Amino acid sequence: MTSLAEAREALDELVHSPVRFTLMSALNSVDSADYQTVRDALGVSYALLTKHATLLESAGYLKVTKGFRGKTPRTVYSLTRKGRDAYAAHLAALDRIVRGLA
């Protein structure tokens, strides 16, 4: 059994930010999602979403695909395998912490 201290240390600081955690939660439930859908769902500004997505992309947790739909630019986000694994490990650590001393 993992101790509470070990669980706390297992939390991923990159995932732990409320915006990044919510972004990863949203993307973990789908294969991919376009920028506008994610921004609307999270209720954050374009700048804030871009900032946090860039951090996750730099860590290899997020794949950003840019393209066009007709003449309209389109950005699509998806979690990488590394990102899904980091998210699952973070959730496992949170679950252990939530169980407390039991």
Side-chain angles (χ1 to χ4, degrees):
M1 177 186 287
T2 304
S3 72
L4 287 171
E6 290 169 328
R8 185 190 70 245
E9 290 173 13
L11 291 173
D12 187 321
E13 289 290 327
L14 191 59
V15 176
H16 198 65
S17 153
V19 173
R20 291 189 296 270
F21 181 74
T22 307
L23 173 57
M24 291 186 77
S25 294
L27 293 174
N28 193 58
S29 67
V30 296
D31 289 333
S32 64
D34 67 84
Y35 184 92
Q36 189 63 46
T37 299
V38 171
R39 192 193 72 78
D40 290 346
L42 271 60
V44 296
S45 69
Y46 291 106
L48 188 62
L49 178 55
T50 299
K51 174 187 171 185
H52 287 283
T54 299
L55 290 170
L56 291 171
E57 183 184 27
S58 295
Y61 290 0
L62 181 70
K63 179 180 178 186
V64 179
T65 305
K66 295 185 179 274
F68 287 88
R69 179 179 280 165
K71 293 183 178 183
T72 305
R74 185 166 188 248
T75 300
V76 176
Y77 293 143
S78 58
L79 287 183
T80 63
R81 172 54 39 209
K82 181 179 178 181
R84 288 184 188 277
D85 291 346
Y87 178 75
H90 188 78
L91 285 181
L94 283 174
D95 182 59
R96 174 60 189 104
I97 291 167
V98 167
R99 286 186 280 124
L101 297 174

Tab-separated table of all heavy atoms in Angstrom, residues 38-75:
chain	number	residue	atom	x	y	z
A	38	VAL	N	-12.807	22.954	-26.902
A	38	VAL	CA	-12.097	22.857	-25.621
A	38	VAL	C	-12.167	24.184	-24.876
A	38	VAL	O	-12.464	24.222	-23.674
A	38	VAL	CB	-10.633	22.418	-25.830
A	38	VAL	CG1	-9.837	22.518	-24.551
A	38	VAL	CG2	-10.578	21.004	-26.404
A	39	ARG	N	-11.925	25.269	-25.574
A	39	ARG	CA	-11.956	26.587	-24.935
A	39	ARG	C	-13.330	26.876	-24.345
A	39	ARG	O	-13.455	27.326	-23.208
A	39	ARG	CB	-11.570	27.689	-25.921
A	39	ARG	CG	-11.313	29.038	-25.224
A	39	ARG	CD	-11.251	30.172	-26.214
A	39	ARG	NE	-12.558	30.491	-26.748
A	39	ARG	CZ	-13.493	31.198	-26.105
A	39	ARG	NH1	-13.270	31.644	-24.896
A	39	ARG	NH2	-14.650	31.450	-26.665
A	40	ASP	N	-14.370	26.590	-25.105
A	40	ASP	CA	-15.727	26.817	-24.618
A	40	ASP	C	-16.040	25.935	-23.408
A	40	ASP	O	-16.650	26.389	-22.439
A	40	ASP	CB	-16.749	26.554	-25.720
A	40	ASP	CG	-16.710	27.603	-26.832
A	40	ASP	OD1	-16.086	28.676	-26.644
A	40	ASP	OD2	-17.304	27.335	-27.897
A	41	ALA	N	-15.638	24.671	-23.466
A	41	ALA	CA	-15.912	23.743	-22.368
A	41	ALA	C	-15.186	24.154	-21.093
A	41	ALA	O	-15.743	24.060	-19.988
A	41	ALA	CB	-15.512	22.323	-22.765
A	42	LEU	N	-13.947	24.636	-21.226
A	42	LEU	CA	-13.163	25.025	-20.056
A	42	LEU	C	-13.512	26.423	-19.558
A	42	LEU	O	-13.239	26.764	-18.410
A	42	LEU	CB	-11.661	24.946	-20.354
A	42	LEU	CG	-10.993	23.599	-20.088
A	42	LEU	CD1	-11.583	22.471	-20.895
A	42	LEU	CD2	-9.501	23.704	-20.290
A	43	GLY	N	-14.087	27.239	-20.437
A	43	GLY	CA	-14.447	28.596	-20.052
A	43	GLY	C	-13.245	29.470	-19.754
A	43	GLY	O	-13.253	30.264	-18.816
A	44	VAL	N	-12.198	29.314	-20.561
A	44	VAL	CA	-10.978	30.108	-20.379
A	44	VAL	C	-10.723	30.949	-21.626
A	44	VAL	O	-11.303	30.707	-22.680
A	44	VAL	CB	-9.756	29.204	-20.079
A	44	VAL	CG1	-9.932	28.467	-18.766
A	44	VAL	CG2	-9.495	28.229	-21.210
A	45	SER	N	-9.829	31.899	-21.493
A	45	SER	CA	-9.486	32.759	-22.624
A	45	SER	C	-8.598	32.000	-23.612
A	45	SER	O	-7.994	30.976	-23.279
A	45	SER	CB	-8.741	34.003	-22.136
A	45	SER	OG	-7.453	33.635	-21.646
A	46	TYR	N	-8.524	32.523	-24.821
A	46	TYR	CA	-7.646	31.943	-25.831
A	46	TYR	C	-6.205	31.916	-25.327
A	46	TYR	O	-5.511	30.908	-25.466
A	46	TYR	CB	-7.712	32.746	-27.138
A	46	TYR	CG	-9.024	32.620	-27.857
A	46	TYR	CD1	-9.932	33.672	-27.860
A	46	TYR	CD2	-9.360	31.461	-28.541
A	46	TYR	CE1	-11.151	33.562	-28.529
A	46	TYR	CE2	-10.573	31.336	-29.205
A	46	TYR	CZ	-11.460	32.393	-29.192
A	46	TYR	OH	-12.664	32.277	-29.849
A	47	ALA	N	-5.770	33.025	-24.744
A	47	ALA	CA	-4.383	33.123	-24.285
A	47	ALA	C	-4.085	32.096	-23.198
A	47	ALA	O	-3.025	31.452	-23.217
A	47	ALA	CB	-4.095	34.537	-23.782
A	48	LEU	N	-4.998	31.937	-22.254
A	48	LEU	CA	-4.766	30.998	-21.156
A	48	LEU	C	-4.736	29.558	-21.666
A	48	LEU	O	-3.864	28.768	-21.279
A	48	LEU	CB	-5.843	31.163	-20.076
A	48	LEU	CG	-5.608	30.381	-18.790
A	48	LEU	CD1	-4.324	30.837	-18.102
A	48	LEU	CD2	-6.792	30.567	-17.846
A	49	LEU	N	-5.667	29.209	-22.547
A	49	LEU	CA	-5.669	27.860	-23.097
A	49	LEU	C	-4.391	27.595	-23.879
A	49	LEU	O	-3.760	26.545	-23.723
A	49	LEU	CB	-6.893	27.636	-23.988
A	49	LEU	CG	-6.975	26.257	-24.658
A	49	LEU	CD1	-6.903	25.124	-23.646
A	49	LEU	CD2	-8.241	26.162	-25.497
A	50	THR	N	-3.979	28.530	-24.690
A	50	THR	CA	-2.761	28.366	-25.478
A	50	THR	C	-1.549	28.190	-24.579
A	50	THR	O	-0.701	27.323	-24.827
A	50	THR	CB	-2.567	29.562	-26.428
A	50	THR	OG1	-3.696	29.620	-27.319
A	50	THR	CG2	-1.289	29.446	-27.230
A	51	LYS	N	-1.469	28.979	-23.528
A	51	LYS	CA	-0.342	28.884	-22.583
A	51	LYS	C	-0.264	27.492	-21.966
A	51	LYS	O	0.800	26.861	-21.957
A	51	LYS	CB	-0.502	29.933	-21.480
A	51	LYS	CG	0.515	29.826	-20.373
A	51	LYS	CD	0.198	30.787	-19.245
A	51	LYS	CE	1.090	30.510	-18.047
A	51	LYS	NZ	0.731	31.336	-16.904
A	52	HIS	N	-1.372	26.995	-21.469
A	52	HIS	CA	-1.366	25.695	-20.805
A	52	HIS	C	-1.190	24.548	-21.800
A	52	HIS	O	-0.497	23.568	-21.501
A	52	HIS	CB	-2.631	25.521	-19.962
A	52	HIS	CG	-2.605	26.357	-18.731
A	52	HIS	ND1	-1.868	26.029	-17.624
A	52	HIS	CD2	-3.205	27.537	-18.444
A	52	HIS	CE1	-2.027	26.942	-16.694
A	52	HIS	NE2	-2.828	27.884	-17.166
A	53	ALA	N	-1.774	24.665	-22.972
A	53	ALA	CA	-1.595	23.641	-23.998
A	53	ALA	C	-0.130	23.562	-24.430
A	53	ALA	O	0.400	22.463	-24.643
A	53	ALA	CB	-2.491	23.935	-25.197
A	54	THR	N	0.520	24.694	-24.528
A	54	THR	CA	1.929	24.727	-24.911
A	54	THR	C	2.798	24.011	-23.879
A	54	THR	O	3.715	23.266	-24.232
A	54	THR	CB	2.404	26.179	-25.110
A	54	THR	OG1	1.627	26.765	-26.167
A	54	THR	CG2	3.875	26.251	-25.465
A	55	LEU	N	2.505	24.212	-22.603
A	55	LEU	CA	3.249	23.519	-21.538
A	55	LEU	C	3.071	22.006	-21.641
A	55	LEU	O	4.036	21.244	-21.519
A	55	LEU	CB	2.806	24.006	-20.163
A	55	LEU	CG	3.201	25.427	-19.787
A	55	LEU	CD1	2.490	25.866	-18.515
A	55	LEU	CD2	4.714	25.519	-19.611
A	56	LEU	N	1.828	21.572	-21.860
A	56	LEU	CA	1.567	20.139	-21.984
A	56	LEU	C	2.199	19.557	-23.248
A	56	LEU	O	2.716	18.440	-23.236
A	56	LEU	CB	0.058	19.877	-21.980
A	56	LEU	CG	-0.654	20.141	-20.658
A	56	LEU	CD1	-2.164	20.057	-20.833
A	56	LEU	CD2	-0.176	19.180	-19.574
A	57	GLU	N	2.178	20.329	-24.322
A	57	GLU	CA	2.803	19.878	-25.562
A	57	GLU	C	4.312	19.739	-25.384
A	57	GLU	O	4.919	18.753	-25.822
A	57	GLU	CB	2.488	20.847	-26.700
A	57	GLU	CG	3.052	20.405	-28.039
A	57	GLU	CD	2.809	21.418	-29.146
A	57	GLU	OE1	2.679	22.623	-28.862
A	57	GLU	OE2	2.756	20.974	-30.307
A	58	SER	N	4.929	20.701	-24.711
A	58	SER	CA	6.378	20.661	-24.471
A	58	SER	C	6.788	19.441	-23.660
A	58	SER	O	7.882	18.911	-23.838
A	58	SER	CB	6.837	21.926	-23.754
A	58	SER	OG	6.642	23.049	-24.573
A	59	ALA	N	5.893	19.001	-22.763
A	59	ALA	CA	6.173	17.828	-21.933
A	59	ALA	C	5.885	16.516	-22.665
A	59	ALA	O	6.163	15.434	-22.148
A	59	ALA	CB	5.334	17.889	-20.658
A	60	GLY	N	5.302	16.611	-23.861
A	60	GLY	CA	4.965	15.415	-24.610
A	60	GLY	C	3.636	14.803	-24.211
A	60	GLY	O	3.325	13.677	-24.583
A	61	TYR	N	2.821	15.552	-23.457
A	61	TYR	CA	1.520	15.069	-22.996
A	61	TYR	C	0.403	15.368	-23.993
A	61	TYR	O	-0.629	14.726	-23.961
A	61	TYR	CB	1.142	15.720	-21.666
A	61	TYR	CG	1.944	15.291	-20.469
A	61	TYR	CD1	2.976	14.364	-20.547
A	61	TYR	CD2	1.672	15.819	-19.217
A	61	TYR	CE1	3.699	13.991	-19.435
A	61	TYR	CE2	2.379	15.444	-18.093
A	61	TYR	CZ	3.398	14.532	-18.210
A	61	TYR	OH	4.108	14.157	-17.095
A	62	LEU	N	0.609	16.348	-24.828
A	62	LEU	CA	-0.444	16.829	-25.716
A	62	LEU	C	0.090	16.923	-27.140
A	62	LEU	O	1.214	17.385	-27.353
A	62	LEU	CB	-0.906	18.216	-25.243
A	62	LEU	CG	-2.026	18.896	-26.007
A	62	LEU	CD1	-3.341	18.169	-25.750
A	62	LEU	CD2	-2.157	20.346	-25.556
A	63	LYS	N	-0.729	16.495	-28.091
A	63	LYS	CA	-0.391	16.654	-29.507
A	63	LYS	C	-1.290	17.759	-30.055
A	63	LYS	O	-2.505	17.748	-29.846
A	63	LYS	CB	-0.643	15.357	-30.269
A	63	LYS	CG	-0.343	15.468	-31.747
A	63	LYS	CD	-0.608	14.173	-32.457
A	63	LYS	CE	-0.337	14.343	-33.940
A	63	LYS	NZ	-0.728	13.150	-34.689
A	64	VAL	N	-0.685	18.717	-30.717
A	64	VAL	CA	-1.411	19.827	-31.327
A	64	VAL	C	-1.280	19.682	-32.838
A	64	VAL	O	-0.174	19.661	-33.367
A	64	VAL	CB	-0.862	21.195	-30.858
A	64	VAL	CG1	-1.615	22.330	-31.524
A	64	VAL	CG2	-0.919	21.310	-29.342
A	65	THR	N	-2.419	19.569	-33.507
A	65	THR	CA	-2.437	19.433	-34.961
A	65	THR	C	-3.103	20.669	-35.546
A	65	THR	O	-4.229	20.995	-35.192
A	65	THR	CB	-3.220	18.175	-35.376
A	65	THR	OG1	-2.667	17.044	-34.706
A	65	THR	CG2	-3.167	17.976	-36.875
A	66	LYS	N	-2.382	21.354	-36.421
A	66	LYS	CA	-2.917	22.554	-37.054
A	66	LYS	C	-3.185	22.263	-38.521
A	66	LYS	O	-2.406	21.597	-39.172
A	66	LYS	CB	-1.945	23.717	-36.900
A	66	LYS	CG	-1.767	24.137	-35.445
A	66	LYS	CD	-0.893	25.368	-35.321
A	66	LYS	CE	-0.755	25.769	-33.873
A	66	LYS	NZ	-1.820	26.613	-33.421
A	67	GLY	N	-4.294	22.763	-38.980
A	67	GLY	CA	-4.663	22.551	-40.375
A	67	GLY	C	-5.761	23.523	-40.761
A	67	GLY	O	-5.967	24.543	-40.099
A	68	PHE	N	-6.457	23.190	-41.808
A	68	PHE	CA	-7.547	24.038	-42.293
A	68	PHE	C	-8.771	23.189	-42.565
A	68	PHE	O	-8.671	22.042	-42.983
A	68	PHE	CB	-7.135	24.756	-43.584
A	68	PHE	CG	-6.145	25.855	-43.364
A	68	PHE	CD1	-4.788	25.592	-43.357
A	68	PHE	CD2	-6.576	27.156	-43.147
A	68	PHE	CE1	-3.871	26.600	-43.143
A	68	PHE	CE2	-5.666	28.176	-42.929
A	68	PHE	CZ	-4.311	27.898	-42.929
A	69	ARG	N	-9.916	23.774	-42.308
A	69	ARG	CA	-11.202	23.213	-42.750
A	69	ARG	C	-11.710	24.232	-43.755
A	69	ARG	O	-12.178	25.300	-43.378
A	69	ARG	CB	-12.163	23.066	-41.587
A	69	ARG	CG	-13.516	22.513	-42.052
A	69	ARG	CD	-14.479	22.338	-40.935
A	69	ARG	NE	-14.151	21.097	-40.237
A	69	ARG	CZ	-14.616	20.783	-39.038
A	69	ARG	NH1	-15.385	21.617	-38.388
A	69	ARG	NH2	-14.302	19.638	-38.483
A	70	GLY	N	-11.554	23.893	-45.025
A	70	GLY	CA	-11.799	24.885	-46.064
A	70	GLY	C	-10.713	25.942	-45.960
A	70	GLY	O	-9.533	25.636	-45.983
A	71	LYS	N	-11.122	27.181	-45.784
A	71	LYS	CA	-10.159	28.276	-45.625
A	71	LYS	C	-9.998	28.697	-44.171
A	71	LYS	O	-9.261	29.623	-43.865
A	71	LYS	CB	-10.597	29.479	-46.464
A	71	LYS	CG	-10.536	29.211	-47.946
A	71	LYS	CD	-10.893	30.435	-48.733
A	71	LYS	CE	-10.785	30.145	-50.220
A	71	LYS	NZ	-11.057	31.331	-51.021
A	72	THR	N	-10.688	28.005	-43.271
A	72	THR	CA	-10.660	28.366	-41.858
A	72	THR	C	-9.581	27.567	-41.122
A	72	THR	O	-9.573	26.330	-41.188
A	72	THR	CB	-12.034	28.066	-41.202
A	72	THR	OG1	-13.042	28.743	-41.947
A	72	THR	CG2	-12.053	28.517	-39.758
A	73	PRO	N	-8.667	28.268	-40.432
A	73	PRO	CA	-7.655	27.549	-39.649
A	73	PRO	C	-8.325	26.706	-38.567
A	73	PRO	O	-9.339	27.102	-37.997
A	73	PRO	CB	-6.819	28.662	-39.013
A	73	PRO	CG	-7.194	29.913	-39.703
A	73	PRO	CD	-8.537	29.721	-40.302
A	74	ARG	N	-7.750	25.550	-38.302
A	74	ARG	CA	-8.309	24.648	-37.300
A	74	ARG	C	-7.173	24.033	-36.493
A	74	ARG	O	-6.218	23.509	-37.056
A	74	ARG	CB	-9.122	23.553	-37.977
A	74	ARG	CG	-9.829	22.642	-37.007
A	74	ARG	CD	-10.871	21.810	-37.749
A	74	ARG	NE	-11.681	21.070	-36.792
A	74	ARG	CZ	-11.661	19.763	-36.671
A	74	ARG	NH1	-10.876	19.040	-37.434
A	74	ARG	NH2	-12.428	19.172	-35.776
A	75	THR	N	-7.284	24.091	-35.175
A	75	THR	CA	-6.327	23.475	-34.267
A	75	THR	C	-7.049	22.366	-33.514
A	75	THR	O	-8.140	22.578	-32.990
A	75	THR	CB	-5.764	24.510	-33.271
A	75	THR	OG1	-5.118	25.553	-34.011
A	75	THR	CG2	-4.772	23.888	-32.313
